[in-house]
Amino acid sequence: MTSPLPSSSAASVLDLAPVVPVVVVSDAADAVPLARALVAGGLPAIEVTLRTPAALDAIRAIAAEVPRALVGAGTVITPEQVAAGTAAGAGFLVSPGWTEALLVAMRGAGVPFLPGVSTTSEVVALLERGVREMKFFPAQAAGGTAFLKSLAAPLPQARFCPTGGIGPTTAPEYLALPNVGCVGGSWMVPADAVAAGDWTRIEELARGAAALGGRAGVRDAEGTCR
């Protein structure tokens, strides 16, 4: 994951901020103000999931109009989605799991990517293929912090973005682990706030999420782990 990242000295998506918002956009018109609110709150890396017809238009709009954001395509499960996401302007890719075909496509996309894992064998298989940064999904259901703690000693080269069932009260527990760079979550983008266009509320929730990094480690003003 060595592609250039915007307005940060971080070398990885995992180091841009303690939390990556996982966003479902139903109306592409919401994408830009939503992204601006998240960035203003301190969360520049934004995962837009490819779960709605508006997702690619949302990625396109954020990439074009919110230069301080690094917008990614999430829930990527096919090579075709890899191509569509990057063509729309996605600066990183996130998958809930991986296959050989999907991994080849993500490698060839030229942007950072986080393939999903939920077992030790999957982690080892990715390390064997030279991939060291992964999404741990579904985090809470797949063993949570206890699972990741158990991997830290035998597989210290693997780093994770746990996602799935994580909220503001549990995020610091993950962020305190040495093999966790950030967590993914959606609590800072509640559906009712998005529907109401309450970008001020979303910015406040994002600011609270960004501050969680200070409870787990020392981060500089741009959110980079030190």
Side-chain angles (χ1 to χ4, degrees), residues 166-182:
I166 298 173
T169 58
T170 54
E173 299 171 12
Y174 284 92
L175 294 169
L177 300 178
N179 54 355
V180 170
C182 64

Side-chain angles (χ1 to χ4, degrees), residues 30-158:
D30 293 331
V32 168
L34 174 59
R36 286 175 175 159
L38 292 170
V39 170
L43 303 180
I46 303 167
E47 175 188 340
V48 175
T49 64
L50 300 184
R51 302 179 194 174
T52 69
L56 290 174
D57 285 338
I59 291 171
R60 200 171 286 114
I62 295 170
E65 300 183 45
V66 192
R68 292 177 58 208
L70 179 67
V71 61
T75 322
V76 173
I77 58 174
T78 67
E80 292 76 16
Q81 287 180 324
V82 169
T86 52
F92 66 99
L93 302 166
V94 184
S95 68
W98 66 279
T99 64
E100 291 291 351
L102 182 58
L103 188 62
V104 167
M106 290 193 293
R107 277 189 184 279
V111 298
F113 59 93
L114 294 172
V117 297
S118 60
T119 69
T120 305
S121 293
E122 290 172 314
V123 175
V124 172
L126 284 176
L127 290 173
E128 187 178 80
R129 290 159 175 79
V131 179
R132 296 188 175 187
E133 298 187 342
M134 312 164 197
K135 172 179 178 174
F136 174 46
F137 177 84
Q140 289 290 87
T145 55
F147 178 81
L148 292 176
K149 283 179 183 177
S150 72
L151 294 185
L155 302 173
Q157 64 271 54

